[in-house]
Amino acid sequence: VLVVGNMNALNLLCLDAHDVAMEEEEEEPEMAATSYRQVGEWVQVGMVLPLLVFSPVIVGLWSSSGVVLGMLGACTGEVCDIAEAFSTASLGWVVPFTLIQAISVYLEVIQVHVWHVSAISVAFCFIGIFLNIVLVFGSSFLGIPWRGLGYRGIPVATSITQWLQLMVLSLLVWGRTTYIPAVARSWGGWSGSNLTWARAKHFLGLGVPMCVWDLIDYWVPGLLVLLAATHGAAEAAAAGVVLSLVVLFQPIVLSFKYSMFARINAHFEAGVLNRARDTYTVGLCSSLILSVTITLLLWPNMAWVAQIMGCSPQVALVTRKMALPATAYFIFYCFNAYNFELQNAKDETMSANVCSFVGRWVVGVG
């Protein structure tokens, strides 16, 4: 979440520099060249600064997560030890994940290889699934007698996948033999002089508030599990199952909200308010239809899904009891996400943030 908040700040800074460069291109070509280079300079700041500032926090929390969770009463004994081992092993993918996000922002801003990035992400999703299966369960199905690493294989597989994806992205952008004008204009090579105190202050001044808001927004699932854990291990496990299902099906419902946002924004800029309203209505109705359909499929099958995930009969029973509030949260969350995009399109940032806060905390925790 700390990384994502800073990447939002990086996106804004790069877009500002790129927009200025495009405006200056016809009238002042020399100034435009400087502004284009600022895009690459901000990308370098976005790659390095979040790791320098937030790595100590991430390392400290993740390497002692068992102690922290034990103090909060979320786990005891062996479960805390497993959580700490898992989170410590997960430190291996923090660096490549941060760099991948920064490169993705860069390519999106200069409008190069956007589809290539999506294709690479999809490809490495399947590669990650394969590596997870091999490293967790072993390779006996391949005819190789190896038992795997168990749960420790998950962060190891994720780390390998992230590092490989970073290598492929880097080769795509900077390792090609063909000339890419947008990259040549905006990337002047690595330089320590790009990381100045003024830039760092400006970047963190924009990024830290976004990180705080993202933390508030994304802490809800973790808080729900912690609250469930105060009632017992079965309740905590059931909350984990429910939240896993919510995260699994969210992209299906929210996949076209960005398209809706782009269309609404274009209609607002053109002054065609009735089309903006119609686009929002279609998007919201589609979201509600999909979320209700998924809810109707999940509600009666929650216990069965918990059993498929290897949970005990007791956890499956608790999961079934959680079905009604969980599905209600899913519907309200999807509804709230579309309202959030509408408020953003109208440049009503405060209303959008309040809408997001209510949707996440009041509905989720309540």
Side-chain angles (χ1 to χ4, degrees), residues 34 62 92 98 103 117-118 131 152 166 176 178 185 204 209 217 237 243 250 259 276 292 295 299 316 329-330 336:
T34 302
W62 285 17
T98 303
I103 294 172
V117 173
S118 299
L131 287 176
R152 288 182 177 85
L166 175 61
R176 293 171 60 92
T178 56
R185 278 201 309 262
L204 293 176
D217 198 28
L243 290 172
Q250 274 179 5
S259 173
V292 171
T295 295
W299 190 354
Y329 168 72
F330 181 72
N336 172 70

Side-chain angles (χ1 to χ4, degrees), residues 79-129:
V79 176
C80 287
D81 294 337
I82 292 173
E84 188 165 307
F86 186 93
S87 57
T88 302
S90 297
L91 290 170
W93 56 260
V94 172
V95 171
F97 175 79
T98 303
L99 299 181
I100 288 170
Q101 300 307 307
I103 294 172
S104 299
V105 167
Y106 173 54
L107 294 178
E108 184 178 346
V109 169
I110 64 174
Q111 299 176 5
V112 171
H113 297 313
V114 177
W115 284 105
H116 293 78
V117 173
S118 299
I120 289 170
S121 298
V122 171
F124 274 96
C125 178
F126 289 103
I127 292 172
I129 292 172

Side-chain angles (χ1 to χ4, degrees), residues 26-227:
E26 294 184 1
E27 300 177 358
E28 301 177 88
E30 293 183 1
M31 293 292 292
T34 302
S35 297
Y36 274 123
R37 285 298 169 94
Q38 286 183 358
V39 176
E41 291 167 3
W42 277 121
V43 171
Q44 292 181 33
V45 173
M47 286 179 167
V48 176
L49 194 60
L51 292 173
L52 290 177
V53 174
F54 297 109
S55 286
V57 178
I58 297 172
V59 171
L61 285 175
W62 285 17
S63 61
S64 59
S65 59
V67 177
V68 174
L69 291 172
M71 291 173 60
L72 294 172
C75 63
T76 57
E78 185 181 1
V79 176
C80 287
D81 294 337
I82 292 173
E84 188 165 307
F86 186 93
S87 57
T88 302
S90 297
L91 290 170
W93 56 260
V94 172
V95 171
F97 175 79
T98 303
L99 299 181
I100 288 170
Q101 300 307 307
I103 294 172
S104 299
V105 167
Y106 173 54
L107 294 178
E108 184 178 346
V109 169
I110 64 174
Q111 299 176 5
V112 171
H113 297 313
V114 177
W115 284 105
H116 293 78
V117 173
S118 299
I120 289 170
S121 298
V122 171
F124 274 96
C125 178
F126 289 103
I127 292 172
I129 292 172
F130 175 76
L131 287 176
N132 270 277
I133 293 173
V134 172
L135 293 179
V136 173
F137 300 106
S139 56
S140 57
F141 69 97
L142 296 173
I144 303 173
W146 184 60
R147 298 178 59 183
L149 302 174
Y151 70 89
R152 288 182 177 85
I154 298 173
V156 174
T158 303
S159 298
I160 294 173
T161 304
Q162 292 285 300
W163 280 107
L164 289 175
Q165 185 173 346
L166 175 61
M167 290 173 58
V168 172
L169 273 177
S170 299
L171 288 172
L172 177 70
V173 180
W174 297 289
R176 293 171 60 92
T177 56
T178 56
Y179 177 73
I180 307 174
V183 174
R185 278 201 309 262
S186 58
W187 187 263
W190 284 97
S191 174
S193 62
N194 293 328
L195 191 61
T196 63
W197 171 249
R199 272 208 177 110
K201 185 177 179 181
H202 186 39
F203 185 92
L204 293 176
L206 188 61
V208 170
M210 290 183 171
C211 287
V212 172
W213 187 259
D214 283 340
L215 283 170
I216 293 173
D217 198 28
Y218 287 102
W219 264 351
V220 173
L223 182 60
L224 290 176
V225 175
L226 287 175
L227 290 173

